[in-house]
Amino acid sequence: MSHRNARLTLHGRRLLVERVLACRPVAHVAAEMGISRPTAHKWVRRWKNEGDAGLADRSSRPGRTPHRTPAAVEEQVCGLRRTRKLGPARIGPILGLPASTVHRILTRHRLNRLAWLDRPTGTVIRRYERDRPGELIHIDVKKLGRIPDGGGHRVLGRDAGRPVRGMGFDYVHSA
């Protein structure tokens, strides 16, 4: 997602394409907009191939990961974690995987912390899962000291501030 002061926002890319379509040289349009010529050519090429959809921002995430650990091996790693409660350094040699790969798999499946697992069953404990926002109400209680007019004991001293009626505390409840 581009920031609002970026050289080429979605609006700027459309403007670039319009200027190039008006038979102006790409190098001149790129110089006017403060971008490189290859970048300008890239956006014009994307617009020609995909239309307005080609001007939108894309994710930098790769489309596929050919060397990712197979799903069956990942299931074995998760199974060992749930049943035996082993760490990556102990699961790795059992399955012939590096400990770093085992840790990455456990993190991906949110099993990387033993404290997050229920000890007897091995299932992940999910504490605050609700169907809709606002279903769980949280209440905070704030204790506020009442300070008499003219100041408290810091201004008047301990003895002068003590016998005033109405001193004490107020409690504010916020939900």
Side-chain angles (χ1 to χ4, degrees):
M1 176 187 245
S2 58
H3 54 89
R4 66 176 184 208
N5 293 329
R7 294 270 183 194
L8 285 183
T9 59
L10 185 59
H11 174 71
R13 293 174 203 150
R14 283 193 186 119
L15 189 63
L16 168 81
V17 170
E18 288 172 8
R19 289 179 181 176
V20 171
L21 290 178
C23 296
R24 298 196 49 218
V26 175
H28 291 213
V29 175
E32 289 172 2
M33 300 188 83
I35 60 171
S36 67
R37 197 175 55 178
T39 301
H41 277 291
K42 173 184 74 172
W43 289 113
V44 171
R45 185 175 52 251
R46 280 193 190 176
W47 180 82
K48 286 179 180 175
N49 292 339
E50 303 172 27
D52 280 338
L55 299 178
D57 290 328
R58 296 180 178 176
S59 172
S60 60
R61 185 176 184 266
R64 61 188 198 91
T65 312
H67 299 292
R68 183 174 171 168
T69 308
V73 176
E74 286 192 14
E75 191 56 42
Q76 287 178 331
V77 169
C78 295
L80 284 172
R81 179 61 158 205
R82 286 188 184 107
T83 56
R84 294 204 207 162
K85 317 277 190 303
L86 299 176
R90 303 230 0 236
I91 293 175
I94 294 172
L95 299 177
L97 295 171
S100 60
T101 302
V102 173
H103 177 70
R104 193 176 322 114
I105 292 168
L106 292 175
T107 303
R108 188 180 307 133
H109 292 279
R110 294 189 176 139
L111 296 172
N112 54 324
R113 301 270 182 211
L114 274 175
W116 295 348
L117 295 179
D118 183 34
R119 288 241 185 244
T121 62
T123 57
V124 179
I125 300 171
R126 306 259 185 239
R127 298 207 187 277
Y128 293 110
E129 281 192 9
R130 299 290 177 239
D131 293 336
R132 352 176 248 291
E135 191 174 338
L136 177 70
I137 295 177
H138 179 80
I139 297 177
D140 285 329
V141 180
K142 176 72 177 163
K143 182 178 177 182
L144 301 170
R146 286 192 221 131
I147 300 174
D149 293 337
H153 70 270
R154 288 193 181 195
V155 175
L156 304 174
R158 287 266 178 208
D159 296 331
R162 200 169 290 205
V164 176
R165 187 158 173 77
M167 285 181 61
F169 297 99
D170 282 327
Y171 298 92
V172 178
H173 295 73
S174 62

